[in-house]
Amino acid sequence: KPHNDWFLSLDYNGAEVRTVLALLNRPQPEEDIHNWNVVNIFNSPEYRNQDIPIDRDDAKVLFFGWLYNPESEVIKSNLYDRDAIISKYYNDDSVNTVFGRNIKVDKRRALSYIVQSTTSDLVLERAIVISKLLENTNSFVSHLVHDEVVIDLADEDRHMVPKIKEVFSNNKLDKFMVNLSAGKNFYDLEELKL
């Protein structure tokens, strides 16, 4: 339970997928990324070769299975180009991220390290900025979970929610879609529309 009145959760919609797009300088869809992939990747003429409909959950499984398995050829779209990311951020047996991290890793796992390290750093950097934004208020960053920042929010600071969302959305790589939820405890968070 929060020390104040609410938990406010901000998480990137499809954080790793959006990181991949940003690293490739591709535009960010302004809708749920997994639904977007259903329409634009998995139901596109270059992918469709069966009559089995693919829904959002299927798209997530297929995408992440493809992203982290170098042998997978499930996605045939040029929109997601694993080789371009690897050639830009991996050399001499090391990953070099946009945040200046240098991580020694074999080529097979390089993409995973690039995407996950970059995503993690995006979230951490935004959490620091949000923490500074909340200075001199009763609200504070409570905790982080993967691509989610959770704010312990005081009622008198509720007016700041749109600004907090904007700060989280506009990261070093691009503007990512943000899912908001709030509740009186972390277990019972409900979607918050702004």
Side-chain angles (χ1 to χ4, degrees):
K1 293 190 175 189
H3 293 282
N4 288 302
D5 302 293
W6 303 90
F7 274 136
L8 172 68
S9 167
L10 303 102
D11 78 283
Y12 288 134
N13 171 263
E16 282 115 344
V17 186
R18 291 183 182 278
T19 297
V20 168
L21 289 171
L23 292 174
L24 291 166
N25 295 314
R26 306 276 199 257
Q28 293 289 329
E30 294 181 17
E31 61 191 271
D32 178 90
I33 193 70
H34 302 296
N35 285 333
W36 188 89
N37 278 339
V38 167
V39 173
N40 295 282
I41 302 299
F42 296 110
N43 285 326
S44 67
E46 56 194 14
Y47 180 81
R48 286 303 282 169
N49 59 7
Q50 70 247 7
D51 293 325
I52 301 167
I54 294 174
D55 64 16
R56 183 185 188 281
D57 291 337
D58 296 332
K60 281 179 74 170
V61 169
L62 288 167
F63 182 87
F64 288 114
W66 168 84
L67 183 64
Y68 296 125
N69 176 0
E71 283 83 40
S72 175
E73 295 182 10
V74 168
I75 295 179
K76 297 167 181 37
S77 171
N78 291 331
L79 179 67
Y80 294 113
D81 188 344
R82 293 181 295 202
D83 294 333
I85 294 172
I86 291 169
S87 67
K88 185 173 182 178
Y89 297 101
Y90 180 78
N91 59 44
D92 297 329
D93 297 326
S94 292
V95 163
N96 297 292
T97 73
V98 296
F99 284 92
R101 290 193 188 272
N102 182 278
I103 307 164
K104 190 159 184 67
V105 62
D106 60 85
K107 190 170 183 178
R108 178 174 171 69
R109 296 181 295 162
L111 185 66
S112 176
Y113 278 62
I114 296 164
V115 173
Q116 292 190 41
S117 177
T118 301
T119 302
S120 176
D121 283 342
L122 286 173
V123 173
L124 291 170
E125 191 271 337
R126 293 289 83 197
I128 291 166
V129 174
I130 291 169
S131 184
K132 289 178 182 173
L133 177 69
L134 294 174
E135 286 178 355
N136 303 315
T137 71
N138 288 323
S139 300
F140 58 91
V141 173
S142 171
H143 57 279
L144 283 70
V145 181
H146 185 56
D147 63 344
E148 174 185 23
V149 174
V150 180
I151 311 296
D152 191 313
L153 189 70
D155 265 336
E156 66 266 19
D157 300 325
R158 288 172 66 172
H159 69 281
M160 297 180 73
V161 172
K163 179 66 177 172
I164 294 168
K165 179 183 179 188
E166 179 185 332
V167 166
F168 188 63
S169 176
N170 294 304
N171 63 56
K172 183 176 181 173
L173 291 182
D174 207 335
K175 182 176 182 176
F176 286 12
M177 181 180 173
V178 174
N179 298 321
L180 287 177
S181 53
K184 293 287 188 177
N185 63 66
F186 193 62
Y187 181 75
D188 293 316
L189 298 177
E190 294 183 15
E191 184 180 6
L192 181 64
K193 299 256 188 196
L194 284 185

